[in-house]
Amino acid sequence: MRLYDFELSGSCYKIRLLLNMLDLKCELKNVDFVNKEHKSDAYLALNPFGEIPIFEDGDLRLRDAQAILVYLAKKYDTSGQWFPDDAASMGRIAQWLSTGGGEIMNAAGARLVKILNYPLDLEKLQAGAHRVFKIMNAHLADRQWLELGHPTIADIACFPYTAMAGEGGIDLTPYPHILAWIGRVKRLPGFIPMPGVPAP
Ligand SMILES: N[C@@H](CCC(=O)N[C@@H](CS)C(=O)NCC(=O)O)C(=O)O
């Protein structure tokens, strides 16, 4: 297995997290994101979207963190808990896979503006992040985990850029249920930190 990785990327971190929680070994191939290696011809030949992460397992190559989480859970999770097979569970989890790769990426964009000076509309991104965090906070008011009452890839997909929201100038203090959930994710067996997401 090989992950095209950048240490400061929350999208790559999603994959590193699940790999570690499933106790899987994977080669990490560093992508020079700051110098735009992900826009080079060689990289675009692997992922025409010009984004990290990419994941390879044998002959299979996948782009998109959520797709990779689905693959890893289906192929390697012997507990069957991270992405259970029944239709209702899959649908429930897929909602948050979409949110993790969609609305929560507003927080990722805000962080790119703050730490890498990306020329994006910071206020719009922060407002988009607050919209989704308000919904997540209400959803988590009477739940420990996003779906199914136990950790799933829904939590992994939504965790990194929520936990790093502060780096995009987004204050999570108004969202106590999200803060409690972040604490729970950090206490899961196999949790690993990354810069901006310290261990508990
Ligand atoms: N849909 C992709 C998006 C991943 C993504 O946005 N990756 C960022 C880095 S964290 C990226 O490569 N952005 C391209 C760029 O900034 O040029 C996923 O969820 O994996």
Side-chain angles (χ1 to χ4, degrees):
M1 283 186 250
R2 177 184 298 134
L3 175 67
Y4 289 74
D5 184 47
F6 175 56
E7 193 192 9
L8 298 183
S9 160
S11 301
C12 296
Y13 174 54
K14 295 177 193 182
I15 311 308
R16 295 197 302 271
L17 253 184
L18 188 63
L19 284 167
N20 210 61
M21 288 173 173
L22 295 178
D23 200 19
L24 297 170
K25 299 280 167 272
C26 179
E27 176 197 341
L28 299 182
K29 187 168 177 3
N30 183 58
V31 176
D32 187 355
F33 188 80
V34 174
N35 288 311
K36 304 263 180 228
E37 185 186 343
H38 56 300
K39 304 299 181 193
S40 68
D41 289 344
Y43 191 92
L44 290 172
L46 302 178
N47 179 7
F49 284 77
E51 293 173 343
I52 49 172
I54 301 173
F55 178 80
E56 294 173 343
D57 192 7
D59 291 339
L60 177 69
R61 178 178 303 125
L62 294 172
R63 61 168 176 85
D64 189 90
Q66 289 59 235
I68 300 164
L69 293 176
V70 164
Y71 172 77
L72 287 173
K74 279 291 108 196
K75 174 120 191 194
Y76 293 110
D77 169 29
T78 50
S79 79
Q81 292 296 293
W82 286 99
F83 191 40
D85 272 331
D86 66 283
S89 297
M90 292 177 106
R92 285 183 188 281
I93 291 169
Q95 301 175 106
W96 293 104
L97 297 182
S98 173
T99 306
E103 291 86 344
I104 292 176
M105 293 306 279
N106 280 299
R111 180 171 169 264
L112 284 173
V113 175
K114 287 278 196 181
I115 68 176
L116 288 181
N117 293 315
Y118 269 43
L120 302 171
D121 184 339
L122 181 61
E123 276 184 24
K124 191 171 164 206
L125 291 164
Q126 290 173 331
H130 279 295
R131 261 195 309 278
V132 64
F133 290 152
K134 194 169 167 207
I135 293 166
M136 263 175 83
N137 189 60
H139 179 78
L140 286 165
D142 55 358
R143 291 174 179 82
Q144 302 269 299
W145 305 100
L146 286 174
E147 294 296 340
L148 310 189
H150 60 76
T152 67
I153 56 172
D155 300 287
I156 303 294
C158 294
F159 174 74
Y161 288 116
T162 304
M164 286 189 279
E167 292 193 344
I170 299 154
D171 179 18
L172 291 181
T173 312
Y175 312 117
H177 306 300
I178 289 183
L179 290 172
W181 168 78
I182 288 171
R184 283 192 286 278
V185 174
K186 287 183 171 185
R187 290 190 297 276
L188 285 172
F191 174 83
I192 43 169
M194 71 164 272
V197 189

